[in-house]
Amino acid sequence: MNKVVVGAQWGDEGKAKITDLLAQDADLIIRYQGGCNAGHTVVAHNKTFKFHLIPSGILYKGKICFIGPGTVILPEYFEEEIKILIKDGIDVSGLKINPLASITMPYHTAIDGYSESTAQKGKIGTTKKGIGPTYTDKMARIGLKVQDLYSLDALSEKLDIILPLKNKILKEVYGLKTYTKEEIFSLCKKYADIFKPYVCFDWQKVLEDAKYTNKAVLFEGAQGVMLDIDYGTYPFVTSSNPIGGGAATGSGYGPIMIDEVIGVAKAYVTRVGEGPFVTELTDETGDKIREIGHEYGVTTGRPRRCGWFDAVTMKYAVLVGGLTSIALTKIDVFDEFDEIKVCTAYKDTRTGEIYTSYPTDVFIHKYLEPVYETFKGWKQDITAIKEYSKLPENTKKYLSRLEEFLEVPISIVSVGPDREQTIFKI
Ligand code: GDP
Ligand code: IMO
Ligand code: MG
């Protein structure tokens, strides 16, 4: 069975924990979109590992881990991440980069930083890793791909087209540093050396072999459905497609290779950066969730905005994300709560209109208030429970109601950060 792991909210749902678990049974793991904007945490053998671009499956020996064509790579950050993993004793010999992946150049990070620092209204709150500008150039057909680094004639031809335009924009629009062809060449030489041990030029053969020998493929998503460039809370989104469909365009395999799409969702919602968030709690309940759930960004250290579970966006995520089941994480964070709320509809404070489907025009979200269903807490430590049947009755009632509302099964329940703290429900 080939599975996709998709974030079903605004990122940081615990995808890496689920990817790491499922990677045990996979032969090939492919990260299909995003870049080092991601911050993925895996806790195994009492050790915490943090990943940004490198697939979370790398912790198992003998697996092939691809950085797919749909990703963008910031070379210096990649180099640093590899160094840390090697220092931690991780065997990275299974890591491969698809030569079609895009490269983040210094001018991309400069433009991202500039846009974020000068924007007054409409600031996105990006991770400043150059993600948006790199994808912009890819779509404008003026980006550089990893394969360009190993073909100097082609690189030279491309730079003759790209650089005059890029320099004009850098200078006249942004007032930022421009680049000579020699400077870019020397950067590219450095990047070629960084990537060399990992670039897989015969990736077609590796993917074909895996396909025809029925190897298990795990597709690893970053970010989440509500940050998707097409379906998320646009423009407060990232610049790629974290949805299940992204695995079909960003991995090298088509949709026919996908059997299951597992949407990872927290039992509450968090968001980093700007943008609407109807169930956000700016009171002490929000603070309590943040402190118990340790909700601080892995990549930027920013405190995450916290709120109650939003079943309206989640139902939307089931549809557009193509989810076949849900992995619900962090329910242990509610162990001490008297009651737990779930938003099942939005009410328009101007007209009284009730929305049970997600309204995609985010500029009306400031007029929406959540309509909640309230559940009794279980007031018990559930972090050591290993079987679904052993969960407290109130936990099971809560999970059943979520399944009923979302019309999709919850396949995994996560009760702590460790690999072991997982209940496979089906
Ligand atoms: P990702 O970006 O989706 O991979 O998630 P992050 O790593 O950014 O954030 C998830 C955080 O929650 C990490 O610190 C995980 O170790 C932690 N975590 C994952 N699942 C659980 C869980 O079920 N309970 C608790 N308490 N923590 C969890
Ligand atoms: P993981 O994979 C949470 C958010 C940023 C910002 C918006 C755009 O760990 O879930 P970008 O730098 O991508 O242009 O920023 O997207 N964002 C994330 N939020 N988790 C992530 O990754 C994120 N990656 C980007 O905060 O609001
Ligand atoms: Mg994260």
Side-chain angles (χ1 to χ4, degrees):
M1 286 295 250
N2 298 335
K3 299 174 183 171
V4 190
V5 175
V6 170
Q9 297 161 327
W10 278 281
D12 304 326
E13 300 90 345
K15 294 177 292 293
K17 169 178 169 168
I18 303 300
T19 305
D20 166 74
L21 271 173
L22 300 178
Q24 280 180 83
D25 301 322
D27 303 292
L28 191 64
I29 298 115
I30 312 179
R31 168 81 184 269
Y32 59 84
Q33 46 71 231
C36 60
N37 47 348
H40 294 165
T41 319
V42 175
V43 183
H45 312 302
N46 293 321
K47 240 186 131 180
T48 301
F49 300 91
K50 292 187 192 297
F51 303 102
H52 298 280
L53 189 65
I54 292 166
S56 313
I58 199 80
L59 292 178
Y60 299 98
K61 262 194 170 166
K63 315 266 178 195
I64 296 176
C65 290
F66 260 105
I67 296 177
T71 62
V72 295
I73 312 180
L74 180 58
E76 294 85 356
Y77 214 85
F78 169 81
E79 186 181 31
E80 196 52 37
E81 192 176 345
I82 286 274
K83 267 193 200 149
I84 293 171
L85 288 179
I86 293 173
K87 208 170 119 226
D88 276 352
I90 308 297
D91 174 5
V92 294
S93 59
L95 182 67
K96 295 182 190 297
I97 298 176
N98 190 302
L100 292 176
S102 295
I103 304 171
T104 296
M105 300 298 287
Y107 46 80
H108 293 130
T109 33
I111 291 173
D112 198 2
Y114 174 93
S115 306
E116 283 294 301
S117 61
T118 54
Q120 297 299 319
K121 268 187 167 179
K123 190 176 158 201
I124 308 293
T126 74
T127 58
K128 299 188 184 169
K129 298 291 188 295
I131 303 294
T134 312
Y135 279 113
T136 302
D137 279 4
K138 169 177 159 171
M139 290 304 182
R141 296 161 292 196
I142 53 168
L144 292 178
K145 288 175 178 276
V146 169
Q147 65 184 10
D148 297 331
L149 303 174
Y150 305 96
S151 166
L152 291 185
D153 287 346
L155 181 65
S156 172
E157 244 180 82
K158 280 190 187 180
L159 289 179
D160 287 339
I161 300 164
I162 296 169
L163 255 193
L165 177 68
K166 203 81 234 175
N167 278 335
K168 198 167 159 60
I169 295 171
L170 286 169
K171 186 170 167 217
E172 292 177 19
V173 177
Y174 296 102
L176 290 169
K177 175 184 161 30
T178 56
Y179 289 83
T180 62
K181 198 170 168 184
E182 290 64 41
E183 279 177 300
I184 299 286
F185 257 125
S186 115
L187 278 171
C188 285
K189 197 183 162 323
K190 187 173 103 183
Y191 298 164
D193 292 341
I194 292 174
F195 295 145
K196 189 101 193 265
Y198 310 102
V199 184
C200 179
F201 286 102
D202 64 347
W203 64 272
Q204 296 170 42
K205 186 165 180 348
V206 178
L207 262 59
E208 266 169 7
D209 284 353
K211 182 176 171 182
Y212 296 122
T213 55
N214 286 323
K215 293 277 191 307
V217 184
L218 181 65
F219 301 90
E220 177 179 12
Q223 290 83 49
V225 173
M226 299 312 291
L227 288 170
D228 185 276
I229 187 73
D230 291 310
Y231 296 100
T233 45
Y234 189 89
F236 304 99
V237 292
T238 191
S239 300
S240 63
N241 285 118
I243 53 164
T249 57
S251 64
Y253 282 127
I256 208 91
M257 283 291 283
I258 299 169
D259 299 304
E260 281 183 33
V261 182
I262 298 159
V264 187
K266 281 182 207 178
Y268 48 90
V269 178
T270 62
R271 170 159 213 179
V272 242
E274 308 300 319
F277 181 176
V278 177
T279 63
E280 181 168 13
L281 293 165
T282 50
D283 58 4
E284 64 275 14
T285 309
D287 294 343
K288 189 172 165 186
I289 293 176
R290 185 177 309 105
E291 290 320 308
I292 300 178
H294 306 292
E295 295 298 351
Y296 295 89
V298 178
T299 301
T300 58
R302 291 179 288 179
R304 294 171 179 156
R305 299 157 64 193
C306 299
W308 292 117
F309 188 85
D310 184 342
V312 179
T313 57
M314 191 65 206
K315 207 163 172 165
Y316 175 72
V318 170
L319 177 73
V320 302
L323 311 186
T324 55
S325 77
I326 291 170
L328 195 70
T329 63
K330 302 194 103 161
I331 63 166
D332 54 294
V333 170
F334 288 142
D335 281 358
E336 290 164 24
F337 279 55
D338 294 324
E339 53 182 37
I340 297 147
K341 292 190 183 188
V342 170
C343 166
T344 54
Y346 298 155
K347 182 178 171 190
D348 192 321
T349 52
R350 297 167 302 176
T351 59
E353 188 183 348
I354 298 287
Y355 291 92
T356 49
S357 292
Y358 170 73
T360 52
D361 175 6
V362 300
F363 286 91
I364 68 154
H365 285 202
K366 56 179 169 289
Y367 303 115
L368 303 179
E369 65 180 26
V371 178
Y372 287 121
E373 240 178 73
T374 303
F375 295 81
K376 268 206 183 119
W378 39 90
K379 306 283 279 179
Q380 181 184 326
D381 181 347
I382 59 168
T383 56
I385 295 178
K386 303 255 186 283
E387 286 165 50
Y388 185 75
S389 61
K390 303 264 166 64
L391 282 170
E393 279 313 306
N394 282 352
T395 319
K396 284 193 270 193
K397 269 190 203 154
Y398 160 78
L399 295 172
S400 299
R401 175 68 184 119
L402 285 186
E403 284 182 321
E404 182 187 53
F405 188 85
L406 300 170
E407 297 180 283
V408 71
I410 293 173
S411 51
I412 298 172
V413 180
S414 172
V415 293
D418 201 276
R419 264 182 197 167
E420 306 296 315
Q421 294 173 297
T422 313
I423 300 168
F424 286 91
K425 186 163 166 280
I426 47 173

